[in-house]
Amino acid sequence: MASSPERIWTAALLIIGDEILSGRTQDANLAYLAKWLQVQGIRLKEVRVVTDEMDAIGNGVTALAAAYDYVFTTGGIGPTHDDITVDAIAAALGVPVVVHPRAREILAGYYGDKLTDARLRMARVPEGAELIDNPRTMAPGIRIGNIFIMAGVPVITQGMLASLDGKLEGGLPVLSRSVGAWTQESAAAATLLAVEKANPGVQIGSYPFWRQGKTGANFVLRSTSDDQLAAVAAQLMAALQEAGIESVDGEI
Amino acid sequence: MASSPERIWTAALLIIGDEILSGRTQDANLAYLAKWLQVQGIRLKEVRVVTDEMDAIGNGVTALAAAYDYVFTTGGIGPTHDDITVDAIAAALGVPVVVHPRAREILAGYYGDKLTDARLRMARVPEGAELIDNPRTMAPGIRIGNIFIMAGVPVITQGMLASLDGKLEGGLPVLSRSVGAWTQESAAAATLLAVEKANPGVQIGSYPFWRQGKTGANFVLRSTSDDQLAAVAAQLMAALQEAGIESVDGEI
């Protein structure tokens, strides 16, 4: 597909799972999806984490699908009673849940005569949906409209994303480049603001850290142009030096 | 404060930061806050991650403050130009931003004659706000109504939470207990559902994993009663055994 540099393509992620909200499990899908989307030229603009409840899932997916080009969900598509993502999204879209013939075929091929009712749950989709290949454990992901329903287990999610690689329309990928300095970020604040203002199209974030009793910060420049990033990084390093702050090209 | 077991106290977290949405930084505040809230008898019901933009922050905080008892925000309260959380929340609440006298005093005591305009940004609060102590780096957190504005850097956030310990009204803490089994979770699905249905007040989540080529799952029971958890865990283990699945008391 031709990319259109003027248009910014956006996405949101809905993470479904009490295990994340209880602090028991650390989410690992957000960062992976964010980086994968960058390569596709799509920007992750919002993430929500909601409970395993019909309304929470339904309201979340409806709001995000209306606001962004793409919505990805993770979690709640396994064989157990707490896996209600498909039901919640179908209800929110006002369509029935049906067994997808191809999904049933895939599961039957995998489980043979052990295809229990519980396992057959994983062939259920909102009516009108397509499947997303799952090279890892067979039970497919689901696409309906701009909603991509994926597993919660990171290796499975990553496999599903791999099977979507290059298939979604997007724009120019956002690139980043860092300048690091052993400084309090407050000492660099005015410089960062001036350099960002002087360079439309470049965004500068400041990320302070404390290591071994020393204070430092990484300044992360983002733009869709590699040449612009290189030029602005050089400009920022010169401006920091003028302000009495030594910096390095790259992250500390 | 007396706890009222009938009432469930709820909270949401708004994570503010392009660095999380770009996948550059892995959030570490969600899980910590979730566990801290559990001890206070408050349930984390929703999390949103939004960009460093006025509207995204304002809309997020407004929606969450209306829906839950408490809202916590992390990120965007430092001294640099991309730190706009205070401005965004004040705008959303329709109040001006003012310099808090006590916050200015704290910063003046810390920075002395190096209290630049950039650093003074960290004394700005929505009018009517109180301060939250920051034992780590002095720049305080902010409470306004049911909104708690905290730092993004985890050690600082954790210090701020410590200073709020026991000060928020909550209910009975939710406890959890795990039963682990080397099984495909789909084989246990019917058993889990039956045991959960038979025990109102206990919620059972199923969390599959794959390790060294073997398939397993942890079944996590949640309830406000330790006695009930112990009884239901025993009941679940017996029911699993009847279904031909060996399990262990505790997480695998």
Side-chain angles (χ1 to χ4, degrees), chain B residues 44-206:
Chain B
L44 183 62
K45 297 286 279 183
E46 182 171 350
V47 177
R48 297 192 189 179
V49 190
V50 296
T51 56
D52 295 324
E53 291 172 303
M54 291 288 286
D55 283 355
I57 300 167
N59 294 339
V61 87
T62 305
L64 296 173
Y68 303 102
D69 293 315
Y70 303 104
V71 179
F72 294 80
T73 75
T74 57
I77 62 166
T80 57
H81 67 287
D82 54 340
D83 293 310
I84 58 168
T85 298
V86 166
D87 303 81
I89 293 177
L93 297 175
V95 300
V97 173
V98 297
V99 170
H100 192 291
R102 175 67 191 138
R104 181 208 285 265
E105 205 175 287
I106 292 168
L107 293 171
Y110 185 70
Y111 288 112
D113 57 4
K114 287 180 184 156
L115 183 54
T116 56
D117 282 353
R119 286 168 182 154
L120 200 55
R121 275 181 72 81
M122 296 187 285
R124 297 164 74 250
V125 304
E127 193 174 60
E130 298 161 43
L131 303 183
I132 301 169
D133 281 349
N134 167 4
R136 179 96 184 184
T137 58
M138 306 313 292
I142 300 162
R143 172 180 189 165
I144 180 157
N146 65 342
I147 303 165
F148 297 76
I149 305 172
M150 304 192 300
V153 177
V155 291
I156 302 181
T157 313
Q158 290 165 19
M160 290 178 177
L161 287 175
S163 73
L164 289 172
D165 233 344
K167 290 184 185 158
L168 305 185
E169 194 169 4
L172 289 180
V174 175
L175 309 170
S176 71
R177 185 177 176 128
S178 298
V179 170
W182 289 103
T183 178
Q184 288 187 294
E185 65 168 348
S186 53
T191 305
L192 297 176
L193 180 60
V195 173
E196 190 185 69
K197 273 204 171 161
N199 292 283
V202 175
Q203 199 196 4
I204 306 181
S206 170

Side-chain angles (χ1 to χ4, degrees), chain A residues 220-234:
Chain A
V220 179
L221 291 65
R222 293 192 188 88
S223 156
T224 54
S225 156
D226 214 14
D227 289 349
Q228 190 185 28
L229 279 181
V232 177

